[in-house]
PDB file of all heavy atoms in Angstrom:
ATOM      1  N   GLY A 167      79.860 135.460 129.082  1.00  0.00           N
ATOM      2  CA  GLY A 167      80.191 135.951 130.414  1.00  0.00           C
ATOM      3  C   GLY A 167      79.609 135.091 131.521  1.00  0.00           C
ATOM      4  O   GLY A 167      79.295 135.594 132.598  1.00  0.00           O
ATOM      5  N   MET A 168      79.425 133.781 131.242  1.00  0.00           N
ATOM      6  CA  MET A 168      78.888 132.850 132.249  1.00  0.00           C
ATOM      7  C   MET A 168      79.947 131.821 132.629  1.00  0.00           C
ATOM      8  O   MET A 168      80.727 131.401 131.788  1.00  0.00           O
ATOM      9  CB  MET A 168      77.697 132.065 131.671  1.00  0.00           C
ATOM     10  CG  MET A 168      76.430 132.861 131.499  1.00  0.00           C
ATOM     11  SD  MET A 168      75.024 131.843 130.960  1.00  0.00           S
ATOM     12  CE  MET A 168      75.717 130.242 130.732  1.00  0.00           C
ATOM     13  N   ARG A 169      79.954 131.381 133.895  1.00  0.00           N
ATOM     14  CA  ARG A 169      80.837 130.299 134.319  1.00  0.00           C
ATOM     15  C   ARG A 169      80.115 129.427 135.339  1.00  0.00           C
ATOM     16  O   ARG A 169      79.527 129.943 136.300  1.00  0.00           O
ATOM     17  CB  ARG A 169      82.114 130.832 134.981  1.00  0.00           C
ATOM     18  CG  ARG A 169      83.103 131.532 134.061  1.00  0.00           C
ATOM     19  CD  ARG A 169      83.774 130.591 133.055  1.00  0.00           C
ATOM     20  NE  ARG A 169      84.825 131.285 132.303  1.00  0.00           N
ATOM     21  CZ  ARG A 169      84.609 132.151 131.296  1.00  0.00           C
ATOM     22  NH1 ARG A 169      83.375 132.436 130.921  1.00  0.00           N
ATOM     23  NH2 ARG A 169      85.626 132.725 130.679  1.00  0.00           N
ATOM     24  N   ILE A 170      80.186 128.128 135.137  1.00  0.00           N
ATOM     25  CA  ILE A 170      79.660 127.181 136.122  1.00  0.00           C
ATOM     26  C   ILE A 170      80.770 126.935 137.144  1.00  0.00           C
ATOM     27  O   ILE A 170      81.916 126.694 136.754  1.00  0.00           O
ATOM     28  CB  ILE A 170      79.271 125.846 135.440  1.00  0.00           C
ATOM     29  CG1 ILE A 170      78.226 126.096 134.349  1.00  0.00           C
ATOM     30  CG2 ILE A 170      78.773 124.837 136.476  1.00  0.00           C
ATOM     31  CD1 ILE A 170      78.109 124.960 133.343  1.00  0.00           C
ATOM     32  N   VAL A 171      80.426 127.015 138.423  1.00  0.00           N
ATOM     33  CA  VAL A 171      81.421 126.810 139.478  1.00  0.00           C
ATOM     34  C   VAL A 171      80.994 125.616 140.320  1.00  0.00           C
ATOM     35  O   VAL A 171      79.901 125.611 140.895  1.00  0.00           O
ATOM     36  CB  VAL A 171      81.567 128.062 140.376  1.00  0.00           C
ATOM     37  CG1 VAL A 171      82.763 127.884 141.319  1.00  0.00           C
ATOM     38  CG2 VAL A 171      81.733 129.322 139.541  1.00  0.00           C
ATOM     39  N   ARG A 172      81.869 124.588 140.378  1.00  0.00           N
ATOM     40  CA  ARG A 172      81.495 123.348 141.062  1.00  0.00           C
ATOM     41  C   ARG A 172      82.105 123.213 142.455  1.00  0.00           C
ATOM     42  O   ARG A 172      81.674 122.387 143.240  1.00  0.00           O
ATOM     43  CB  ARG A 172      81.834 122.137 140.188  1.00  0.00           C
ATOM     44  CG  ARG A 172      81.015 122.147 138.898  1.00  0.00           C
ATOM     45  CD  ARG A 172      81.006 120.825 138.158  1.00  0.00           C
ATOM     46  NE  ARG A 172      80.138 120.907 136.992  1.00  0.00           N
ATOM     47  CZ  ARG A 172      78.820 120.680 137.019  1.00  0.00           C
ATOM     48  NH1 ARG A 172      78.228 120.324 138.144  1.00  0.00           N
ATOM     49  NH2 ARG A 172      78.104 120.800 135.920  1.00  0.00           N
ATOM     50  N   SER A 173      83.144 124.018 142.731  1.00  0.00           N
ATOM     51  CA  SER A 173      83.715 123.965 144.090  1.00  0.00           C
ATOM     52  C   SER A 173      84.421 125.277 144.415  1.00  0.00           C
ATOM     53  O   SER A 173      84.775 126.042 143.516  1.00  0.00           O
ATOM     54  CB  SER A 173      84.692 122.797 144.227  1.00  0.00           C
ATOM     55  OG  SER A 173      85.830 123.035 143.423  1.00  0.00           O
ATOM     56  N   GLU A 174      84.637 125.503 145.716  1.00  0.00           N
ATOM     57  CA  GLU A 174      85.188 126.781 146.170  1.00  0.00           C
ATOM     58  C   GLU A 174      86.589 127.045 145.630  1.00  0.00           C
ATOM     59  O   GLU A 174      86.959 128.192 145.396  1.00  0.00           O
ATOM     60  CB  GLU A 174      85.186 126.827 147.709  1.00  0.00           C
ATOM     61  CG  GLU A 174      85.434 128.212 148.245  1.00  0.00           C
ATOM     62  CD  GLU A 174      85.124 128.337 149.743  1.00  0.00           C
ATOM     63  OE1 GLU A 174      83.950 128.145 150.124  1.00  0.00           O
ATOM     64  OE2 GLU A 174      86.047 128.623 150.508  1.00  0.00           O
ATOM     65  N   ASP A 175      87.372 125.982 145.407  1.00  0.00           N
ATOM     66  CA  ASP A 175      88.766 126.204 144.971  1.00  0.00           C
ATOM     67  C   ASP A 175      88.867 126.793 143.564  1.00  0.00           C
ATOM     68  O   ASP A 175      89.919 127.284 143.191  1.00  0.00           O
ATOM     69  CB  ASP A 175      89.613 124.926 145.115  1.00  0.00           C
ATOM     70  CG  ASP A 175      88.992 123.735 144.414  1.00  0.00           C
ATOM     71  OD1 ASP A 175      87.749 123.666 144.385  1.00  0.00           O
ATOM     72  OD2 ASP A 175      89.730 122.878 143.892  1.00  0.00           O
ATOM     73  N   GLU A 176      87.800 126.775 142.783  1.00  0.00           N
ATOM     74  CA  GLU A 176      87.888 127.363 141.433  1.00  0.00           C
ATOM     75  C   GLU A 176      87.141 128.686 141.306  1.00  0.00           C
ATOM     76  O   GLU A 176      87.188 129.322 140.247  1.00  0.00           O
ATOM     77  CB  GLU A 176      87.417 126.358 140.370  1.00  0.00           C
ATOM     78  CG  GLU A 176      86.033 125.775 140.623  1.00  0.00           C
ATOM     79  CD  GLU A 176      85.625 124.720 139.582  1.00  0.00           C
ATOM     80  OE1 GLU A 176      86.509 124.096 138.971  1.00  0.00           O
ATOM     81  OE2 GLU A 176      84.412 124.549 139.401  1.00  0.00           O
ATOM     82  N   ILE A 177      86.489 129.128 142.380  1.00  0.00           N
ATOM     83  CA  ILE A 177      85.560 130.257 142.219  1.00  0.00           C
ATOM     84  C   ILE A 177      86.261 131.585 141.923  1.00  0.00           C
ATOM     85  O   ILE A 177      85.785 132.372 141.095  1.00  0.00           O
ATOM     86  CB  ILE A 177      84.577 130.374 143.421  1.00  0.00           C
ATOM     87  CG1 ILE A 177      83.396 131.284 143.038  1.00  0.00           C
ATOM     88  CG2 ILE A 177      85.265 130.879 144.677  1.00  0.00           C
ATOM     89  CD1 ILE A 177      82.208 131.200 143.978  1.00  0.00           C
ATOM     90  N   VAL A 178      87.389 131.861 142.567  1.00  0.00           N
ATOM     91  CA  VAL A 178      88.056 133.151 142.369  1.00  0.00           C
ATOM     92  C   VAL A 178      88.517 133.299 140.912  1.00  0.00           C
ATOM     93  O   VAL A 178      88.268 134.319 140.262  1.00  0.00           O
ATOM     94  CB  VAL A 178      89.220 133.347 143.371  1.00  0.00           C
ATOM     95  CG1 VAL A 178      90.008 134.620 143.050  1.00  0.00           C
ATOM     96  CG2 VAL A 178      88.669 133.420 144.795  1.00  0.00           C
ATOM     97  N   ASN A 179      89.170 132.251 140.398  1.00  0.00           N
ATOM     98  CA  ASN A 179      89.625 132.287 139.001  1.00  0.00           C
ATOM     99  C   ASN A 179      88.465 132.454 138.021  1.00  0.00           C
ATOM    100  O   ASN A 179      88.538 133.264 137.095  1.00  0.00           O
ATOM    101  CB  ASN A 179      90.367 130.995 138.651  1.00  0.00           C
ATOM    102  CG  ASN A 179      91.802 131.035 139.141  1.00  0.00           C
ATOM    103  OD1 ASN A 179      92.373 132.118 139.310  1.00  0.00           O
ATOM    104  ND2 ASN A 179      92.382 129.865 139.372  1.00  0.00           N
ATOM    105  N   LEU A 180      87.403 131.688 138.239  1.00  0.00           N
ATOM    106  CA  LEU A 180      86.278 131.741 137.304  1.00  0.00           C
ATOM    107  C   LEU A 180      85.554 133.085 137.390  1.00  0.00           C
ATOM    108  O   LEU A 180      85.105 133.623 136.375  1.00  0.00           O
ATOM    109  CB  LEU A 180      85.313 130.577 137.564  1.00  0.00           C
ATOM    110  CG  LEU A 180      85.884 129.191 137.203  1.00  0.00           C
ATOM    111  CD1 LEU A 180      84.922 128.077 137.613  1.00  0.00           C
ATOM    112  CD2 LEU A 180      86.182 129.080 135.704  1.00  0.00           C
ATOM    113  N   TYR A 181      85.467 133.630 138.597  1.00  0.00           N
ATOM    114  CA  TYR A 181      84.849 134.958 138.771  1.00  0.00           C
ATOM    115  C   TYR A 181      85.621 135.999 137.969  1.00  0.00           C
ATOM    116  O   TYR A 181      85.034 136.790 137.221  1.00  0.00           O
ATOM    117  CB  TYR A 181      84.819 135.334 140.259  1.00  0.00           C
ATOM    118  CG  TYR A 181      84.336 136.748 140.534  1.00  0.00           C
ATOM    119  CD1 TYR A 181      82.994 137.010 140.762  1.00  0.00           C
ATOM    120  CD2 TYR A 181      85.230 137.815 140.547  1.00  0.00           C
ATOM    121  CE1 TYR A 181      82.551 138.301 141.004  1.00  0.00           C
ATOM    122  CE2 TYR A 181      84.795 139.115 140.790  1.00  0.00           C
ATOM    123  CZ  TYR A 181      83.458 139.349 141.019  1.00  0.00           C
ATOM    124  OH  TYR A 181      83.024 140.619 141.249  1.00  0.00           O
ATOM    125  N   GLN A 182      86.967 135.977 138.118  1.00  0.00           N
ATOM    126  CA  GLN A 182      87.789 136.981 137.424  1.00  0.00           C
ATOM    127  C   GLN A 182      87.726 136.809 135.904  1.00  0.00           C
ATOM    128  O   GLN A 182      87.621 137.790 135.172  1.00  0.00           O
ATOM    129  CB  GLN A 182      89.231 136.945 137.949  1.00  0.00           C
ATOM    130  CG  GLN A 182      89.323 137.744 139.250  1.00  0.00           C
ATOM    131  CD  GLN A 182      90.497 137.374 140.136  1.00  0.00           C
ATOM    132  OE1 GLN A 182      91.197 136.380 139.907  1.00  0.00           O
ATOM    133  NE2 GLN A 182      90.715 138.175 141.170  1.00  0.00           N
ATOM    134  N   ALA A 183      87.742 135.551 135.443  1.00  0.00           N
ATOM    135  CA  ALA A 183      87.676 135.288 133.997  1.00  0.00           C
ATOM    136  C   ALA A 183      86.345 135.773 133.410  1.00  0.00           C
ATOM    137  O   ALA A 183      86.316 136.465 132.387  1.00  0.00           O
ATOM    138  CB  ALA A 183      87.858 133.797 133.729  1.00  0.00           C
ATOM    139  N   ALA A 184      85.244 135.432 134.110  1.00  0.00           N
ATOM    140  CA  ALA A 184      83.919 135.809 133.603  1.00  0.00           C
ATOM    141  C   ALA A 184      83.746 137.327 133.615  1.00  0.00           C
ATOM    142  O   ALA A 184      83.211 137.909 132.669  1.00  0.00           O
ATOM    143  CB  ALA A 184      82.834 135.139 134.446  1.00  0.00           C
ATOM    144  N   SER A 185      84.213 137.961 134.702  1.00  0.00           N
ATOM    145  CA  SER A 185      84.059 139.403 134.837  1.00  0.00           C
ATOM    146  C   SER A 185      84.873 140.151 133.768  1.00  0.00           C
ATOM    147  O   SER A 185      84.375 141.111 133.167  1.00  0.00           O
ATOM    148  CB  SER A 185      84.472 139.836 136.245  1.00  0.00           C
ATOM    149  OG  SER A 185      84.313 141.233 136.380  1.00  0.00           O
ATOM    150  N   SER A 186      86.101 139.677 133.500  1.00  0.00           N
ATOM    151  CA  SER A 186      86.922 140.301 132.452  1.00  0.00           C
ATOM    152  C   SER A 186      86.268 140.133 131.087  1.00  0.00           C
ATOM    153  O   SER A 186      86.234 141.067 130.279  1.00  0.00           O
ATOM    154  CB  SER A 186      88.321 139.670 132.389  1.00  0.00           C
ATOM    155  OG  SER A 186      88.926 139.704 133.648  1.00  0.00           O
ATOM    156  N   GLU A 187      85.752 138.920 130.842  1.00  0.00           N
ATOM    157  CA  GLU A 187      85.085 138.644 129.567  1.00  0.00           C
ATOM    158  C   GLU A 187      83.885 139.575 129.383  1.00  0.00           C
ATOM    159  O   GLU A 187      83.684 140.145 128.306  1.00  0.00           O
ATOM    160  CB  GLU A 187      84.632 137.183 129.563  1.00  0.00           C
ATOM    161  CG  GLU A 187      84.168 136.644 128.229  1.00  0.00           C
ATOM    162  CD  GLU A 187      83.799 135.163 128.345  1.00  0.00           C
ATOM    163  OE1 GLU A 187      84.694 134.348 128.691  1.00  0.00           O
ATOM    164  OE2 GLU A 187      82.627 134.831 128.103  1.00  0.00           O
ATOM    165  N   ALA A 188      83.118 139.748 130.445  1.00  0.00           N
ATOM    166  CA  ALA A 188      81.933 140.611 130.383  1.00  0.00           C
ATOM    167  C   ALA A 188      82.338 142.079 130.185  1.00  0.00           C
ATOM    168  O   ALA A 188      81.711 142.794 129.406  1.00  0.00           O
ATOM    169  CB  ALA A 188      81.098 140.461 131.649  1.00  0.00           C
ATOM    170  N   ALA A 189      83.402 142.500 130.878  1.00  0.00           N
ATOM    171  CA  ALA A 189      83.868 143.886 130.740  1.00  0.00           C
ATOM    172  C   ALA A 189      84.297 144.156 129.297  1.00  0.00           C
ATOM    173  O   ALA A 189      83.978 145.203 128.730  1.00  0.00           O
ATOM    174  CB  ALA A 189      85.014 144.156 131.706  1.00  0.00           C
ATOM    175  N   ALA A 190      85.005 143.184 128.698  1.00  0.00           N
ATOM    176  CA  ALA A 190      85.460 143.339 127.310  1.00  0.00           C
ATOM    177  C   ALA A 190      84.295 143.302 126.328  1.00  0.00           C
ATOM    178  O   ALA A 190      84.238 144.094 125.389  1.00  0.00           O
ATOM    179  CB  ALA A 190      86.478 142.257 126.968  1.00  0.00           C
ATOM    180  N   ALA A 191      83.343 142.383 126.560  1.00  0.00           N
ATOM    181  CA  ALA A 191      82.244 142.187 125.598  1.00  0.00           C
ATOM    182  C   ALA A 191      81.149 143.245 125.732  1.00  0.00           C
ATOM    183  O   ALA A 191      80.581 143.674 124.732  1.00  0.00           O
ATOM    184  CB  ALA A 191      81.650 140.792 125.759  1.00  0.00           C
ATOM    185  N   PHE A 192      80.824 143.628 126.968  1.00  0.00           N
ATOM    186  CA  PHE A 192      79.667 144.511 127.175  1.00  0.00           C
ATOM    187  C   PHE A 192      80.048 145.851 127.809  1.00  0.00           C
ATOM    188  O   PHE A 192      79.168 146.669 128.086  1.00  0.00           O
ATOM    189  CB  PHE A 192      78.622 143.830 128.080  1.00  0.00           C
ATOM    190  CG  PHE A 192      78.383 142.372 127.783  1.00  0.00           C
ATOM    191  CD1 PHE A 192      78.718 141.390 128.708  1.00  0.00           C
ATOM    192  CD2 PHE A 192      77.833 141.973 126.566  1.00  0.00           C
ATOM    193  CE1 PHE A 192      78.510 140.040 128.433  1.00  0.00           C
ATOM    194  CE2 PHE A 192      77.621 140.627 126.292  1.00  0.00           C
ATOM    195  CZ  PHE A 192      77.966 139.658 127.224  1.00  0.00           C
ATOM    196  N   GLY A 193      81.333 146.056 128.115  1.00  0.00           N
ATOM    197  CA  GLY A 193      81.742 147.279 128.795  1.00  0.00           C
ATOM    198  C   GLY A 193      81.241 147.351 130.232  1.00  0.00           C
ATOM    199  O   GLY A 193      81.114 148.426 130.810  1.00  0.00           O
ATOM    200  N   ASN A 194      80.937 146.186 130.815  1.00  0.00           N
ATOM    201  CA  ASN A 194      80.395 146.129 132.184  1.00  0.00           C
ATOM    202  C   ASN A 194      80.735 144.756 132.760  1.00  0.00           C
ATOM    203  O   ASN A 194      80.246 143.746 132.279  1.00  0.00           O
ATOM    204  CB  ASN A 194      78.880 146.367 132.127  1.00  0.00           C
ATOM    205  CG  ASN A 194      78.197 146.200 133.489  1.00  0.00           C
ATOM    206  OD1 ASN A 194      78.831 145.907 134.501  1.00  0.00           O
ATOM    207  ND2 ASN A 194      76.889 146.390 133.499  1.00  0.00           N
ATOM    208  N   GLY A 195      81.585 144.729 133.778  1.00  0.00           N
ATOM    209  CA  GLY A 195      82.046 143.466 134.354  1.00  0.00           C
ATOM    210  C   GLY A 195      81.223 142.981 135.541  1.00  0.00           C
ATOM    211  O   GLY A 195      81.613 142.033 136.221  1.00  0.00           O
ATOM    212  N   SER A 196      80.067 143.619 135.812  1.00  0.00           N
ATOM    213  CA  SER A 196      79.244 143.233 136.977  1.00  0.00           C
ATOM    214  C   SER A 196      78.738 141.798 136.858  1.00  0.00           C
ATOM    215  O   SER A 196      78.211 141.405 135.817  1.00  0.00           O
ATOM    216  CB  SER A 196      78.035 144.160 137.104  1.00  0.00           C
ATOM    217  OG  SER A 196      78.460 145.469 137.341  1.00  0.00           O
TER     218      SER A 196
END
Side-chain angles (χ1 to χ4, degrees):
M168 287 185 357
R169 290 292 187 284
I170 302 162
V171 189
R172 296 195 177 274
S173 67
E174 193 167 297
D175 54 327
E176 54 183 25
I177 196 165
V178 173
N179 279 335
L180 291 175
Y181 174 91
Q182 278 158 350
S185 180
S186 306
E187 192 178 299
F192 318 115
N194 175 0
S196 297

